Structures are given as C-alpha cells and as structure tokens.
Amino acid sequence: MIAKVASKKAPKQGMLENVMRQFDNAADIIDLNTNIRKILEVTNNEIVVHFPVRMDNGEVEIFTGYRVQHNNALGPYKGGLRYHPTVDIDAAKALAMWMTWKTSLAGLPYGGAKGGIQLDPNKYSNSELERITRRFTYALGDNIGPELDIPAPDVNTNPQTMAWILDTYMSTKSPAERSTNMHVVTGKPVGAGGSKGRDRATGFGVFLTIKFWAESHNVDLKDKKFIVQGFGNVGYWAAYFLVKEGAILTAVQDAYGSIANEEGIDVDQLLDYSKGNKGSILGYAKARTIDSKDFFSLDCDICIPAALGNQITPKNANKIKAYLIAEGANGPTDVDAEEILLKKGIDIIPDILCNSGGVIGSYFEWLQNRNGEIWTLDEVMVKLEKKMKESFTTVLETSKKRKVDMRTAAFIIAIERLEEAYVQRGIFP
C-alpha cells in the first residue's frame, strides 16, 4: 500500500497526459516502429463495473469499480487495486501504462494493469469494506485470473483486501480447481499464501535504488537528511532502511498534515504513534507541525514522494532543495516540474525503477504459489536486491550512453523490450 497524501483533493487530471508525454519522448528518441507505437498508445481492455452493496444500516449503495488492462505482450496483466476518491478511468489508464513499462524494465514476464474503486475507505466500516471488496471481485469475474490478470495492493488496500479477493475468487471455482488459483492475487497475508518480505518489498526497493545511486555518485548516506511524503507501507519501509544506513528522517507528510524535526524522527516510534492515532502523524510529541505547503521546500538531501500522483508540480518544483528525488509513488512528478528539476541539477530516480521492488516481490510470491514453494525472508531479500541492482545498473548505463535523464533511459529500455517482442512474434492475423 502507498500512503495517502496531505492534499485531500489530490489532482488526478494530468496523469494520463504525463505518461503519454513520457512515452512519446522515449519513443521519438528510439524511433519506435510506427505500428508498434499505435499498439502501445492504447489500452487492450477497459472494464467498468457498477455493483450494489448492502451497508451496515441496511441501505444499498452502488459503487463503481475499474480494471484497465494496458498490454500483455510480455505476460499476464499485473497491477494494483486502489480505493480512493480520485480513481477514475483516466487515472487507471495512466497507472496501467506505467505498470507495463515497470514490469518490462524489471525483466518480468508480466504486462501492465491497474484499477480500483472510487471511494473514501475512511467512510466505511471494516465489514462494509469486506462486502464491497468481495462484490467487486465477483463483478470482475473472469476478467482477472492467475494466468490472465493478477491484482495486488495499492493506495488504501492491503494484505487483508487481497485475502478477501482470493477467497471470493476461489469460491467461484470448483473444489478441485481452488488450490490452483492461489496466485490470482499477490500481496496476500503470509498465512493465506503470501510471501515473506512482500510487505517491505516496495519500500526496500526505494531504499536500494537510493543506495545504488549513492554508491554510483560516491555519496555516503550517513547523516544525510531525507523527507518522506506518505507514511504508509512504502514510506515507512523506505525510511526504516535508510535510517538503518545512518540517514536522518527530518520530516514526514501524510493525509492529515506535516511534521518536522531537524534532529531526526524515530521511524518506529512515529509508526506506533500513528497506529494509535487513527493513522495520523499529527500531534506526535517529538516533532513540530508545519504548514503542508512548505513541505517540499524543506532543507534536505533526499526527497521521497511516496503518496499519490502529481505532487511535485511547476508550483513547488523551484522550491525543492533536495539533490535527489526517489519516486516511491506512481507518477508523483509532473512532466513540466521534471524539466525544472533537471535544469536545477536534481537527480530523479523514476517511479518505474524506484518502486518496482513491489512488483518484483509480487512476482516472487506468484512463483512460489505456482510452484508450491515457500522461500525464507533472506532468500526473498537477496533475490530482490539482485534484481533491483540489475535494473538500476542497466538504467544508469543507458542514461550515460544515450546522454539522457534516468526516466527517459528507463522508458527506452522498457519500450525496446516490448518492441522486440512484437517484432519477433508479429501481429495476428
């Protein structure tokens, strides 16, 4: 799960435009085959379902759910489900496209998908969320499947959400088939077929890319100051591993507000506090509350946006003092803002590389379910680090060779892999 963000009305518009501009930029540089470009510019399937759910008070409410399947040239569709008011068809299309580039870049046998339900989960009880999730799963029907489209957690969804989806999906199959469908979702609780290490995979991946970047630039992470936007699963684990490396967490922003302490914030103490404070970091005694609009302008070395998309815009890009931005969220940096940041000499580890630890961890879970294996935590973490290192090194080398920024390099690698698949396989009929 990626955390919610401070702005309650986070902009959703522009994400599709952003991903298309990023795609067009890389496609132009590599002179992408015109016909393949036409295929990659559009989504394969866009599924919208409206379904009724009975609320705790006996009333029926109608919900709208989405699942967009962008491309499956490299393997089954893969991508998260989010529960958020900003979920709509354009947001799902943009996120599904990013997933296609992300899985291709990571060298996984997956395509890209994304989806979710347009709702604010804070307004519903746990039992209501369970019924909503199960009914959504039933409405999607055979549009998802362990060899077709494999959902995972995203904003405001978690292992429990995945367990409900798994149970509902399996219950629609004959008893003889049920155990063969365990890998219909990833990010499950360990007791329900999940993988050890999947909980920290995305945040650990964010940390690893920062560590690899630091090593390639001869930077020592000890005593480096960093700020994190979003204190959900990704923000917490990224901060946890950075602090273990000697870096100092100086500010955090979540859906409720922002706090700062230049001397450092204890990651685990803050997590414990937020859990006992209805998920909010506000009021934490060992940090002061600051105005959320000043968050990105804080003095720091590393900035980790790990919340929603379009958070770094031309309005705040000029104020950023960090020399490295590590994108824990999907699409947190607006294309125009990125131009400003690059001109300022700020390095950006792009989302499709930076937060790909999550989908790599999901791949490991899928493999274990498929093969009837159970890996240890150490095995998962070692394999994850090896895969992330391969991706990072390839992006860095391509960036230097092509004389482009890291995002453009990452897109070039991802798109070229898809182009190769289409060239070799041809197009039916």
Side-chain angles (χ1 to χ4, degrees):
M1 184 184 82
I2 295 174
K4 295 170 287 181
V5 68
S7 165
K8 294 273 195 320
K9 293 181 180 175
K12 61 187 175 186
Q13 67 281 3
M15 280 172 70
L16 188 56
E17 184 195 348
N18 274 345
V19 72
M20 288 310 301
R21 285 173 68 183
Q22 291 166 352
F23 169 74
D24 287 338
N25 177 45
D28 288 345
I29 290 170
I30 63 170
D31 195 21
L32 178 64
N33 178 294
T34 312
N35 292 320
I36 295 168
R37 188 170 186 150
K38 288 175 192 171
I39 295 168
L40 296 177
E41 279 176 342
V42 297
T43 54
N44 287 356
N45 303 300
E46 296 169 17
I47 301 142
V48 182
V49 290
H50 306 286
F51 53 93
V53 180
R54 194 174 297 281
M55 298 291 101
D56 291 342
N57 64 4
E59 292 291 313
V60 167
E61 215 174 296
I62 306 294
F63 293 89
T64 301
Y66 302 88
R67 188 65 177 174
V68 172
Q69 297 163 336
H70 173 244
N71 188 279
N72 64 345
L74 299 177
Y77 301 108
K78 187 84 188 79
L81 290 172
R82 58 176 58 184
Y83 290 0
H84 198 273
T86 61
V87 172
D88 65 9
I89 199 71
D90 278 354
K93 281 165 72 172
L95 293 161
M97 291 181 88
W98 272 315
M99 280 305 302
T100 298
W101 317 137
K102 191 184 298 185
T103 53
S104 175
L105 176 65
L108 302 178
Y110 287 144
K114 210 74 169 193
I117 306 173
Q118 194 176 80
L119 61 78
D120 179 353
N122 295 316
K123 293 179 178 174
Y124 300 93
S125 69
N126 201 52
S127 59
E128 286 173 335
L129 288 172
E130 178 177 354
R131 292 196 294 277
I132 291 165
T133 301
R134 289 182 181 276
R135 194 64 184 75
F136 179 40
T137 307
Y138 189 76
L140 285 174
D142 285 335
N143 288 300
I144 60 170
E147 307 293 334
L148 170 67
D149 183 353
I150 308 123
D154 201 84
V155 178
N156 292 332
T157 55
N158 55 34
Q160 178 61 76
T161 319
M162 296 304 111
W164 291 331
I165 295 173
L166 172 71
D167 186 65
T168 308
Y169 184 84
M170 285 171 72
S171 71
T172 66
K173 305 299 171 186
S174 70
E177 287 182 286
R178 283 174 194 166
S179 62
T180 64
N181 284 279
M182 186 70 76
H183 50 305
V184 65
V185 286
T186 56
K188 302 180 292 288
V190 172
S195 171
K196 287 174 181 158
R198 177 59 185 89
D199 59 342
R200 66 206 67 188
T202 313
F204 183 57
V206 172
F207 157 71
L208 285 175
T209 57
I210 294 170
K211 182 182 154 195
F212 299 150
W213 179 91
E215 287 168 357
S216 67
H217 287 74
N218 296 315
V219 171
D220 186 353
L221 288 175
K222 193 174 186 314
D223 296 330
K224 293 294 178 291
K225 293 181 177 179
F226 71 98
I227 63 175
V228 177
Q229 185 198 38
F231 201 63
N233 181 282
V234 180
Y236 164 74
W237 282 110
Y240 171 87
F241 287 110
L242 272 169
V243 167
K244 278 185 77 174
E245 201 75 8
I248 302 165
L249 175 63
T250 56
V252 179
Q253 182 179 94
D254 72 358
Y256 305 95
S258 308
I259 60 170
N261 181 350
E262 287 73 18
E263 302 303 311
I265 296 169
D266 187 293
V267 179
D268 286 314
Q269 280 185 16
L270 182 60
L271 181 70
D272 289 342
Y273 172 80
S274 69
K275 281 180 177 174
N277 192 38
K278 296 179 180 175
S280 170
I281 58 170
L282 284 187
Y284 179 62
K286 296 181 180 177
R288 72 183 196 281
T289 301
I290 61 167
D291 193 320
S292 284
K293 71 175 188 294
D294 298 328
F295 180 77
F296 283 116
S297 62
L298 291 171
D299 193 23
C300 64
D301 302 296
I302 303 161
C303 170
I304 304 173
L308 291 173
N310 278 354
Q311 296 305 302
I312 299 174
T313 66
K315 288 182 181 176
N316 57 25
N318 269 316
K319 299 173 185 173
I320 290 176
K321 296 183 175 69
Y323 51 72
L324 177 66
I325 293 171
E327 295 184 335
N330 294 311
T333 312
D334 173 271
V335 173
D336 294 327
E338 180 157 17
E339 287 178 15
I340 296 167
L341 297 170
L342 293 174
K343 278 178 187 168
K344 287 178 69 177
I346 296 171
D347 274 6
I348 302 166
I349 305 175
D351 47 7
I352 63 169
L353 169 64
C354 189
N355 66 44
S356 63
V359 73
I360 294 169
S362 277
Y363 171 60
F364 294 158
E365 180 180 329
W366 185 74
L367 275 183
Q368 290 169 75
N369 292 162
R370 220 175 174 213
N371 301 334
E373 297 178 6
I374 298 174
W375 301 351
T376 66
L377 179 60
D378 283 348
E379 281 180 292
V380 172
M381 299 301 265
V382 168
K383 288 174 191 284
L384 182 59
E385 182 158 359
K386 183 170 181 267
K387 206 98 176 76
M388 293 292 298
K389 179 78 171 177
E390 285 171 7
S391 292
F392 185 88
T393 304
T394 311
V395 170
L396 198 62
E397 286 172 355
T398 304
S399 170
K400 288 174 181 173
K401 183 180 167 186
R402 294 251 187 192
K403 294 184 172 56
V404 293
D405 59 273
M406 288 184 77
R407 189 185 316 280
T408 304
F411 266 71
I412 285 171
I413 296 160
I415 294 166
E416 282 184 336
R417 283 179 179 164
L418 281 151
E419 182 180 32
E420 185 181 17
Y422 277 108
V423 168
Q424 290 174 349
R425 285 165 45 174
I427 294 165
F428 176 84

